[in-house]
Amino acid sequence: MSVLSQKGKGGLDIKNVIFYIILFVLGSIIGSFLNCLAWRLKNNKKFILERSLCPACGRQLAWYENIPILSFLFLAGRCKTCQVKIPLYYFLTEFFTGALFVFVGWFNYNSFYFSLYNLIFELFIASVLVFIFLYDALYKEILPGVIWATTSIVFIRLLFLDKPDYLSIFYGILFGFGFFALQYIFSKGRWIGGGDVRFGVLIGALLGISKTVIALLIAYWLGALVGISLIIMKKRKMGSEIPFGTFLVVGTLVAMYYGDYIIRWYMNFIK
């Protein structure tokens, strides 16, 4: 059953509103965890689930300082003790992860075939992509362990799908890996990093060949647009490094949910 009325009645009932609220809250909590995870992995903190603390003064945060989104607003973006500014990306990650969860839920419930299993899987993938975006934006690095663990889960999921297109997935992996590997070899690692090569494998396994091509095209167009804009605004110079993984994340999400529409539009366009 679609979340939105499929018979023209329109509107959302109270159950659907509650469902979306739950998704947003869950997403914001996951976003908060991803913020914490990124900082702790970068700083080699072994205990991922320890209580949060202020990176500036080291004070352990109270429970009410850990409420996603609301704590940032109530504290006016500053630590209660040392008054050091809390980075804005903490708030943005929590908010946009919540919004992304709502979108994934909405898209799934409005699809022809809906399953709770598929929704949970896509929420997991969304969380991973947010983490890749965040970590690459902050540290210009895509962690190999995240890519390989997620790729393994994607492979396991394929075993439970009804007639998966293994040939498309094989070509997607081959294209995603080969496209970046050739650039890496040709430029000797100057154009892209090894993380992008590994990410290409995950994209191919997740999307298959057609949507992988779309994801990479979107990523490169978006990357070129942002790069040129930054150069024009004199915030970057020619040859400056930009976290390309962030654009790959955006391209992957667009291709994942709108790739079929883009393919149909293109096929109709060339007729």
Side-chain angles (χ1 to χ4, degrees):
M1 177 65 67
S2 171
V3 170
L4 299 177
S5 173
Q6 295 181 342
K7 297 182 178 180
K9 295 181 180 179
L12 295 172
D13 62 34
I14 187 64
K15 291 182 180 179
N16 294 330
V17 172
I18 293 174
F19 172 72
Y20 287 133
I21 291 174
I22 291 174
L23 280 179
F24 183 82
V25 172
L26 176 62
S28 65
I29 292 173
I30 295 296
S32 179
F33 172 75
L34 295 178
N35 277 325
C36 177
L37 182 63
W39 184 84
R40 294 191 181 194
L41 287 176
K42 184 60 179 179
N43 290 276
N44 298 315
K45 301 295 182 181
K46 296 181 180 180
F47 301 103
I48 300 299
L49 298 179
E50 277 189 347
R51 290 278 300 276
S52 298
L53 50 80
C54 172
C57 65
R59 178 181 64 85
Q60 191 174 83
L61 303 182
W63 66 268
Y64 55 82
E65 295 176 280
N66 280 309
I67 302 174
I69 298 176
L70 296 180
S71 292
F72 185 92
L73 298 176
F74 291 155
L75 295 170
R78 293 181 179 274
C79 173
K80 183 179 178 181
T81 302
C82 65
Q83 292 299 302
V84 169
K85 284 186 177 181
I86 301 171
L88 181 60
Y89 72 79
Y90 276 72
F91 171 84
L92 294 176
T93 301
E94 293 166 359
F95 179 82
F96 282 109
T97 306
L100 182 57
F101 270 44
V102 171
F103 170 78
V104 172
W106 172 84
F107 193 95
N108 271 266
Y109 267 102
N110 282 278
S111 64
F112 189 74
Y113 296 104
F114 169 76
S115 73
L116 182 61
Y117 162 76
N118 193 60
L119 174 61
I120 292 173
F121 173 77
E122 290 188 16
L123 291 177
F124 165 74
I125 293 297
S127 301
V128 172
L129 292 176
V130 169
F131 179 80
I132 293 173
F133 185 103
L134 175 66
Y135 204 88
D136 196 36
L138 292 175
Y139 309 119
K140 295 183 175 62
E141 181 182 1
I142 300 176
L143 297 179
V146 173
I147 297 298
W148 296 134
T150 307
T151 303
S152 299
I153 292 173
V154 172
F155 284 150
I156 292 172
R157 175 179 179 265
L158 292 173
L159 299 176
F160 296 93
L161 290 181
D162 182 26
K163 299 179 180 179
D165 192 346
Y166 288 116
L167 189 60
S168 175
I169 293 164
F170 171 75
Y171 285 133
I173 293 172
L174 189 64
F175 181 79
F177 171 79
F179 183 77
F180 289 119
L182 288 175
Q183 293 181 71
Y184 183 85
I185 294 171
F186 184 77
S187 68
K188 297 181 179 180
R190 293 192 302 270
W191 295 350
I192 62 171
D196 298 313
V197 180
R198 290 183 285 268
F199 196 8
V201 175
L202 173 57
I203 293 172
L206 183 64
L207 301 180
I209 181 61
S210 298
K211 292 182 182 179
T212 296
V213 173
I214 292 173
L216 298 190
L217 284 174
I218 292 173
Y220 272 88
W221 289 340
L222 184 59
L225 179 62
V226 172
I228 292 171
S229 299
L230 291 174
I231 292 172
I232 292 174
M233 293 186 292
K234 297 182 179 180
K235 293 187 177 181
R236 288 288 192 278
K237 297 181 180 179
M238 289 294 296
S240 296
E241 182 181 0
I242 59 173
F244 189 64
T246 58
F247 304 115
L248 286 174
V249 167
V250 175
T252 300
L253 284 170
V254 174
M256 185 174 175
Y257 291 103
Y258 292 103
D260 290 332
Y261 298 102
I262 295 172
I263 292 171
R264 285 198 294 269
W265 170 84
Y266 178 75
M267 296 304 295
N268 290 329
F269 178 77
I270 63 176
K271 284 183 179 180

